[in-house]
Amino acid sequence: MNNFGFDTEGHEVVAAFADEVKGKTFLITGPTPGGIGAETAISLAAASPSTIILIGRSAVKGQITVDKIKQANPSVRVKFVEAELSSMKSIRKAAQTILDDSSIPVIHAIINNAGIMVPPYSVTEDGFESQFATNHLSHFLLVNKLVPKLVAAGNSRVINVSSVGNKYSGMNWDDVHFKTTYTPQKGYSQSKTAQILFSVSLNKKLASKGVRSFALDPGSVQTGLAKYISLEIAEDMAQKIAGKSLEEAKASRRKTVPQGCATTLVAALDPALGDGVYLADCKITSDPTCVSAWALDEEEAERCWTLSEECLGERFVY
């Protein structure tokens, strides 16, 4: 077991596992400047990976992160692929661009970092509730399309950046796209639960092919993700997730962005991670204060996999 914890920063994790980074290829979604995804990429750059692939909606913002990666280590090859994560057509196009790129023969880790949190209700062009589409379905589709390059790596990982928000309510099986009644925090919890269930399924389906998956809570980090959170929503989530008032929750320590990417990097790099799927504060855990039993249930994971295939109109059999 590693000695990392709440205060660990991403650069410390990369330094400890530099041999797991050097010469390898990493794909990260959501590289917004100042966010956890960008910090993850910049941290990785220090240990000389071969290639970092960034997927995001804005080439202009993406270039800021590309430049910072290059400043950290000019030898790293960086590729930016523009994609709108709420659009399955856009994700398919991005995945095909990567599949067709002969300079990317393998991918050692896909880090599904992009996400949105408790926005007003909206339905995507595909008819999906926006959080379920952006946080889960986009990554489900992207990973399944890129499985050949993960398998080709011989030993690869899929990392789903989830949240302790999975504890709020889980899957809304009776109305996944909230066509009847929408609660932003329920939509968020569902999407984050689905990401963990996705990791459970991937381990069952692809472990024999050398692909392992983990999901994680990065911790409470001040980024642009929280822009839609009202006081009412914050109070409700604090009570139902942590059993605390909002004032009590505010008194809890928050993580810096460098600390916020540390658990992601442990999940992606630590070769000695034991049995389990979910990490918090850089360690595998099934503690119910961190992750709900429904998010780790294998039957629920299979149900979520089938639902995701039905949404996309495509089956993925391994």
Side-chain angles (χ1 to χ4, degrees), residues 118-119 168 184-185 228-238 246:
V118 300
Y168 184 92
Q185 48 271 48
Y228 294 115
I229 296 183
S230 65
L231 285 175
E232 181 182 4
I233 289 175
E235 183 73 50
D236 181 49
M237 293 182 78
L246 181 56

Side-chain angles (χ1 to χ4, degrees), residues 12-203:
E12 298 176 71
V13 178
V14 170
F17 301 119
D19 289 345
E20 303 298 324
V21 179
K22 188 174 183 180
K24 294 187 176 180
T25 297
F26 297 83
L27 185 156
I28 304 169
T29 68
T32 303
I36 293 173
E39 190 70 23
T40 301
I42 295 164
S43 297
L44 283 167
S48 297
S50 166
T51 306
I52 296 177
I53 307 160
L54 305 176
I55 297 183
R57 69 162 66 104
S58 169
V60 174
K61 290 183 178 179
Q63 189 61 45
I64 296 171
T65 300
V66 170
D67 291 344
K68 288 189 175 181
I69 293 169
K70 285 295 194 179
Q71 287 171 13
N73 189 341
S75 73
V76 180
R77 180 174 56 176
V78 188
K79 291 177 176 274
F80 182 84
V81 180
E82 194 168 355
E84 171 53 64
L85 268 77
S86 66
S87 164
M88 299 307 115
K89 179 180 178 181
S90 185
I91 292 298
R92 290 179 190 278
K93 181 180 178 181
Q96 196 60 50
T97 296
I98 295 165
L99 286 172
D100 291 342
D101 192 334
S102 60
S103 71
I104 309 172
V106 299
I107 298 175
H108 295 91
I110 294 177
I111 298 172
N112 294 318
N113 168 82
I116 56 176
M117 184 178 189
V118 300
Y121 184 69
S122 65
V123 175
T124 69
E125 64 185 29
D126 302 290
F128 309 140
E129 187 273 318
S130 63
Q131 293 182 92
F132 192 62
T134 303
N135 298 350
H136 169 62
L137 287 175
S138 65
H139 293 129
F140 180 90
L141 178 59
L142 179 69
V143 168
N144 277 296
K145 287 296 187 183
L146 296 180
V147 160
K149 297 208 173 189
L150 288 166
V151 172
N155 182 15
S156 58
R157 292 190 178 180
V158 175
I159 309 304
N160 290 310
V161 180
S162 182
S163 166
V164 70
N166 77 84
K167 294 181 62 212
Y168 184 92
S169 62
M171 296 296 296
N172 193 44
W173 292 117
D174 293 334
D175 186 12
V176 173
H177 299 297
F178 296 90
K179 293 180 178 178
T180 303
T181 304
Y182 176 65
T183 305
Q185 48 271 48
K186 282 187 177 180
Y188 182 69
S189 181
Q190 172 176 259
S191 70
K192 291 301 171 179
T193 296
Q195 287 189 287
I196 304 168
L197 293 173
F198 182 31
S199 283
V200 173
S201 286
L202 281 171
N203 287 327

